[in-house]
Amino acid sequence: MSAQQTDCIFCKIIQHQIPATIIFDDSHAIAFLDVNPLASGHILVVPKDHVEQLIDLPDIIAASIGSVLPKLGRALVQVTGASGFNVLQNNGEVAGQVVPHVHFHLIPRSTDDSLGYRWNAGTYNDDQMDQLCVAYQQALL
Ligand code: 5GP
Ligand code: ZN
């Protein structure tokens, strides 16, 4: 039994209260077509439990969703004929998350799709990487 939130659009889709083009459905996750696709065949993969962000997702659900991504990616490439695809997962408004229910975008890509993907990458000074590494390792204990 999964836990939903009444005012969440994705929970409503999961409960079949509003229509969606559902292409995959198992005990932990569903996948459906994004209604406003960045490219034709754009898929959203969504855990059935209402969880707002990736950091809130229990390991077992995360593992279950992770295990279906390759299969959905293969289907996306086969069906759309895409040369590749992006997996995009936004957390928080500042990162572009509009629907506060964890979801993974699978976005078909082709050579001249003009979607773009380049972000402005920075650099590190001196021992910043080593300091970050220590901080991350401690946070992960
Ligand atoms: P976010 O910006 O939160 O990462 O992405 C949310 C996505 O959900 C958007 O790409 C948007 O088009 C999609 N979306 C929002 N509402 C609906 C809906 O009612 N049905 C479907 N299929 N997709 C939706
Ligand atoms: Zn929800």
PDB file of all heavy atoms in Angstrom, residues 84-104:
ATOM      1  N   GLY A  84      20.202   9.359 -28.093  1.00  0.00           N
ATOM      2  CA  GLY A  84      20.594   9.305 -26.686  1.00  0.00           C
ATOM      3  C   GLY A  84      19.463   9.879 -25.857  1.00  0.00           C
ATOM      4  O   GLY A  84      18.397  10.216 -26.388  1.00  0.00           O
ATOM      5  N   PHE A  85      19.678   9.967 -24.552  1.00  0.00           N
ATOM      6  CA  PHE A  85      18.642  10.588 -23.715  1.00  0.00           C
ATOM      7  C   PHE A  85      19.271  11.133 -22.441  1.00  0.00           C
ATOM      8  O   PHE A  85      20.337  10.695 -22.020  1.00  0.00           O
ATOM      9  CB  PHE A  85      17.508   9.599 -23.396  1.00  0.00           C
ATOM     10  CG  PHE A  85      17.914   8.388 -22.586  1.00  0.00           C
ATOM     11  CD1 PHE A  85      17.757   8.363 -21.211  1.00  0.00           C
ATOM     12  CD2 PHE A  85      18.445   7.263 -23.212  1.00  0.00           C
ATOM     13  CE1 PHE A  85      18.128   7.240 -20.476  1.00  0.00           C
ATOM     14  CE2 PHE A  85      18.811   6.138 -22.489  1.00  0.00           C
ATOM     15  CZ  PHE A  85      18.654   6.127 -21.116  1.00  0.00           C
ATOM     16  N   ASN A  86      18.616  12.125 -21.854  1.00  0.00           N
ATOM     17  CA  ASN A  86      19.025  12.669 -20.561  1.00  0.00           C
ATOM     18  C   ASN A  86      18.127  12.109 -19.473  1.00  0.00           C
ATOM     19  O   ASN A  86      16.911  11.996 -19.663  1.00  0.00           O
ATOM     20  CB  ASN A  86      18.903  14.196 -20.530  1.00  0.00           C
ATOM     21  CG  ASN A  86      19.907  14.900 -21.411  1.00  0.00           C
ATOM     22  OD1 ASN A  86      19.546  15.516 -22.407  1.00  0.00           O
ATOM     23  ND2 ASN A  86      21.166  14.810 -21.068  1.00  0.00           N
ATOM     24  N   VAL A  87      18.728  11.787 -18.317  1.00  0.00           N
ATOM     25  CA  VAL A  87      17.961  11.517 -17.104  1.00  0.00           C
ATOM     26  C   VAL A  87      18.109  12.761 -16.233  1.00  0.00           C
ATOM     27  O   VAL A  87      19.228  13.122 -15.858  1.00  0.00           O
ATOM     28  CB  VAL A  87      18.482  10.281 -16.350  1.00  0.00           C
ATOM     29  CG1 VAL A  87      17.684  10.068 -15.056  1.00  0.00           C
ATOM     30  CG2 VAL A  87      18.403   9.046 -17.225  1.00  0.00           C
ATOM     31  N   LEU A  88      16.999  13.424 -15.964  1.00  0.00           N
ATOM     32  CA  LEU A  88      17.018  14.684 -15.215  1.00  0.00           C
ATOM     33  C   LEU A  88      16.164  14.512 -13.974  1.00  0.00           C
ATOM     34  O   LEU A  88      15.071  13.948 -14.038  1.00  0.00           O
ATOM     35  CB  LEU A  88      16.449  15.807 -16.090  1.00  0.00           C
ATOM     36  CG  LEU A  88      16.344  17.188 -15.455  1.00  0.00           C
ATOM     37  CD1 LEU A  88      17.728  17.775 -15.182  1.00  0.00           C
ATOM     38  CD2 LEU A  88      15.549  18.132 -16.362  1.00  0.00           C
ATOM     39  N   GLN A  89      16.682  14.980 -12.852  1.00  0.00           N
ATOM     40  CA  GLN A  89      15.942  14.802 -11.596  1.00  0.00           C
ATOM     41  C   GLN A  89      16.123  16.078 -10.775  1.00  0.00           C
ATOM     42  O   GLN A  89      17.191  16.343 -10.232  1.00  0.00           O
ATOM     43  CB  GLN A  89      16.482  13.562 -10.861  1.00  0.00           C
ATOM     44  CG  GLN A  89      15.513  12.909  -9.912  1.00  0.00           C
ATOM     45  CD  GLN A  89      15.504  13.611  -8.578  1.00  0.00           C
ATOM     46  OE1 GLN A  89      16.559  13.851  -8.007  1.00  0.00           O
ATOM     47  NE2 GLN A  89      14.327  13.938  -8.075  1.00  0.00           N
ATOM     48  N   ASN A  90      15.087  16.890 -10.689  1.00  0.00           N
ATOM     49  CA  ASN A  90      15.165  18.197 -10.039  1.00  0.00           C
ATOM     50  C   ASN A  90      14.714  18.103  -8.582  1.00  0.00           C
ATOM     51  O   ASN A  90      13.687  17.491  -8.294  1.00  0.00           O
ATOM     52  CB  ASN A  90      14.274  19.203 -10.774  1.00  0.00           C
ATOM     53  CG  ASN A  90      14.684  19.386 -12.224  1.00  0.00           C
ATOM     54  OD1 ASN A  90      15.859  19.319 -12.556  1.00  0.00           O
ATOM     55  ND2 ASN A  90      13.708  19.613 -13.097  1.00  0.00           N
ATOM     56  N   ASN A  91      15.472  18.730  -7.699  1.00  0.00           N
ATOM     57  CA  ASN A  91      15.127  18.746  -6.270  1.00  0.00           C
ATOM     58  C   ASN A  91      15.057  20.170  -5.762  1.00  0.00           C
ATOM     59  O   ASN A  91      16.077  20.858  -5.692  1.00  0.00           O
ATOM     60  CB  ASN A  91      16.164  17.972  -5.455  1.00  0.00           C
ATOM     61  CG  ASN A  91      16.137  16.503  -5.780  1.00  0.00           C
ATOM     62  OD1 ASN A  91      15.299  15.758  -5.279  1.00  0.00           O
ATOM     63  ND2 ASN A  91      17.040  16.080  -6.646  1.00  0.00           N
ATOM     64  N   GLY A  92      13.854  20.610  -5.407  1.00  0.00           N
ATOM     65  CA  GLY A  92      13.668  21.965  -4.887  1.00  0.00           C
ATOM     66  C   GLY A  92      13.392  22.960  -5.998  1.00  0.00           C
ATOM     67  O   GLY A  92      13.845  22.786  -7.128  1.00  0.00           O
ATOM     68  N   GLU A  93      12.636  23.980  -5.628  1.00  0.00           N
ATOM     69  CA  GLU A  93      12.276  25.027  -6.591  1.00  0.00           C
ATOM     70  C   GLU A  93      13.489  25.633  -7.261  1.00  0.00           C
ATOM     71  O   GLU A  93      13.494  25.894  -8.460  1.00  0.00           O
ATOM     72  CB  GLU A  93      11.538  26.149  -5.835  1.00  0.00           C
ATOM     73  CG  GLU A  93      10.035  26.168  -6.051  1.00  0.00           C
ATOM     74  CD  GLU A  93       9.400  27.324  -5.318  1.00  0.00           C
ATOM     75  OE1 GLU A  93       9.487  28.463  -5.826  1.00  0.00           O
ATOM     76  OE2 GLU A  93       8.835  27.064  -4.233  1.00  0.00           O
ATOM     77  N   VAL A  94      14.552  25.848  -6.478  1.00  0.00           N
ATOM     78  CA  VAL A  94      15.750  26.494  -6.999  1.00  0.00           C
ATOM     79  C   VAL A  94      16.404  25.651  -8.098  1.00  0.00           C
ATOM     80  O   VAL A  94      17.114  26.180  -8.964  1.00  0.00           O
ATOM     81  CB  VAL A  94      16.749  26.779  -5.836  1.00  0.00           C
ATOM     82  CG1 VAL A  94      17.374  25.481  -5.315  1.00  0.00           C
ATOM     83  CG2 VAL A  94      17.822  27.761  -6.268  1.00  0.00           C
ATOM     84  N   ALA A  95      16.138  24.354  -8.063  1.00  0.00           N
ATOM     85  CA  ALA A  95      16.705  23.446  -9.070  1.00  0.00           C
ATOM     86  C   ALA A  95      15.714  23.170 -10.195  1.00  0.00           C
ATOM     87  O   ALA A  95      15.961  22.320 -11.046  1.00  0.00           O
ATOM     88  CB  ALA A  95      17.125  22.138  -8.412  1.00  0.00           C
ATOM     89  N   GLY A  96      14.569  23.872 -10.173  1.00  0.00           N
ATOM     90  CA  GLY A  96      13.609  23.718 -11.264  1.00  0.00           C
ATOM     91  C   GLY A  96      12.510  22.723 -10.990  1.00  0.00           C
ATOM     92  O   GLY A  96      11.740  22.387 -11.899  1.00  0.00           O
ATOM     93  N   GLN A  97      12.421  22.238  -9.726  1.00  0.00           N
ATOM     94  CA  GLN A  97      11.337  21.293  -9.415  1.00  0.00           C
ATOM     95  C   GLN A  97      10.021  22.050  -9.278  1.00  0.00           C
ATOM     96  O   GLN A  97       9.907  22.961  -8.456  1.00  0.00           O
ATOM     97  CB  GLN A  97      11.633  20.534  -8.111  1.00  0.00           C
ATOM     98  CG  GLN A  97      10.577  19.471  -7.799  1.00  0.00           C
ATOM     99  CD  GLN A  97      10.896  18.664  -6.537  1.00  0.00           C
ATOM    100  OE1 GLN A  97      11.748  19.050  -5.735  1.00  0.00           O
ATOM    101  NE2 GLN A  97      10.194  17.560  -6.368  1.00  0.00           N
ATOM    102  N   VAL A  98       9.068  21.678 -10.093  1.00  0.00           N
ATOM    103  CA  VAL A  98       7.749  22.311 -10.065  1.00  0.00           C
ATOM    104  C   VAL A  98       6.751  21.414  -9.324  1.00  0.00           C
ATOM    105  O   VAL A  98       5.956  21.883  -8.522  1.00  0.00           O
ATOM    106  CB  VAL A  98       7.254  22.600 -11.499  1.00  0.00           C
ATOM    107  CG1 VAL A  98       5.825  23.115 -11.489  1.00  0.00           C
ATOM    108  CG2 VAL A  98       8.180  23.614 -12.186  1.00  0.00           C
ATOM    109  N   VAL A  99       6.799  20.116  -9.599  1.00  0.00           N
ATOM    110  CA  VAL A  99       5.895  19.176  -8.928  1.00  0.00           C
ATOM    111  C   VAL A  99       6.636  18.559  -7.736  1.00  0.00           C
ATOM    112  O   VAL A  99       7.646  17.861  -7.922  1.00  0.00           O
ATOM    113  CB  VAL A  99       5.435  18.063  -9.898  1.00  0.00           C
ATOM    114  CG1 VAL A  99       4.543  17.063  -9.172  1.00  0.00           C
ATOM    115  CG2 VAL A  99       4.701  18.659 -11.094  1.00  0.00           C
ATOM    116  N   PRO A 100       6.154  18.822  -6.506  1.00  0.00           N
ATOM    117  CA  PRO A 100       6.877  18.367  -5.312  1.00  0.00           C
ATOM    118  C   PRO A 100       6.614  16.898  -4.969  1.00  0.00           C
ATOM    119  O   PRO A 100       6.183  16.568  -3.853  1.00  0.00           O
ATOM    120  CB  PRO A 100       6.377  19.315  -4.217  1.00  0.00           C
ATOM    121  CG  PRO A 100       5.006  19.685  -4.649  1.00  0.00           C
ATOM    122  CD  PRO A 100       4.979  19.658  -6.155  1.00  0.00           C
ATOM    123  N   HIS A 101       6.821  16.035  -5.925  1.00  0.00           N
ATOM    124  CA  HIS A 101       6.743  14.578  -5.762  1.00  0.00           C
ATOM    125  C   HIS A 101       7.898  14.039  -6.613  1.00  0.00           C
ATOM    126  O   HIS A 101       7.925  14.302  -7.819  1.00  0.00           O
ATOM    127  CB  HIS A 101       5.366  14.075  -6.254  1.00  0.00           C
ATOM    128  CG  HIS A 101       5.125  12.611  -6.091  1.00  0.00           C
ATOM    129  ND1 HIS A 101       3.938  12.077  -5.620  1.00  0.00           N
ATOM    130  CD2 HIS A 101       5.919  11.545  -6.378  1.00  0.00           C
ATOM    131  CE1 HIS A 101       4.018  10.761  -5.610  1.00  0.00           C
ATOM    132  NE2 HIS A 101       5.216  10.414  -6.080  1.00  0.00           N
ATOM    133  N   VAL A 102       8.822  13.330  -5.994  1.00  0.00           N
ATOM    134  CA  VAL A 102      10.045  12.886  -6.691  1.00  0.00           C
ATOM    135  C   VAL A 102       9.728  12.318  -8.059  1.00  0.00           C
ATOM    136  O   VAL A 102       8.797  11.504  -8.203  1.00  0.00           O
ATOM    137  CB  VAL A 102      10.763  11.772  -5.906  1.00  0.00           C
ATOM    138  CG1 VAL A 102      11.988  11.260  -6.667  1.00  0.00           C
ATOM    139  CG2 VAL A 102      11.181  12.242  -4.552  1.00  0.00           C
ATOM    140  N   HIS A 103      10.502  12.717  -9.056  1.00  0.00           N
ATOM    141  CA  HIS A 103      10.325  12.141 -10.395  1.00  0.00           C
ATOM    142  C   HIS A 103      11.619  12.251 -11.187  1.00  0.00           C
ATOM    143  O   HIS A 103      12.393  13.175 -10.993  1.00  0.00           O
ATOM    144  CB  HIS A 103       9.178  12.819 -11.152  1.00  0.00           C
ATOM    145  CG  HIS A 103       9.266  14.309 -11.177  1.00  0.00           C
ATOM    146  ND1 HIS A 103       8.885  15.086 -10.102  1.00  0.00           N
ATOM    147  CD2 HIS A 103       9.689  15.175 -12.134  1.00  0.00           C
ATOM    148  CE1 HIS A 103       9.057  16.362 -10.396  1.00  0.00           C
ATOM    149  NE2 HIS A 103       9.566  16.440 -11.619  1.00  0.00           N
ATOM    150  N   PHE A 104      11.796  11.286 -12.055  1.00  0.00           N
ATOM    151  CA  PHE A 104      12.934  11.262 -12.967  1.00  0.00           C
ATOM    152  C   PHE A 104      12.416  11.516 -14.370  1.00  0.00           C
ATOM    153  O   PHE A 104      11.481  10.848 -14.824  1.00  0.00           O
ATOM    154  CB  PHE A 104      13.627   9.890 -12.928  1.00  0.00           C
ATOM    155  CG  PHE A 104      14.316   9.593 -11.625  1.00  0.00           C
ATOM    156  CD1 PHE A 104      13.575   9.221 -10.514  1.00  0.00           C
ATOM    157  CD2 PHE A 104      15.689   9.687 -11.516  1.00  0.00           C
ATOM    158  CE1 PHE A 104      14.204   8.951  -9.304  1.00  0.00           C
ATOM    159  CE2 PHE A 104      16.322   9.422 -10.306  1.00  0.00           C
ATOM    160  CZ  PHE A 104      15.583   9.061  -9.197  1.00  0.00           C
TER     161      PHE A 104
END
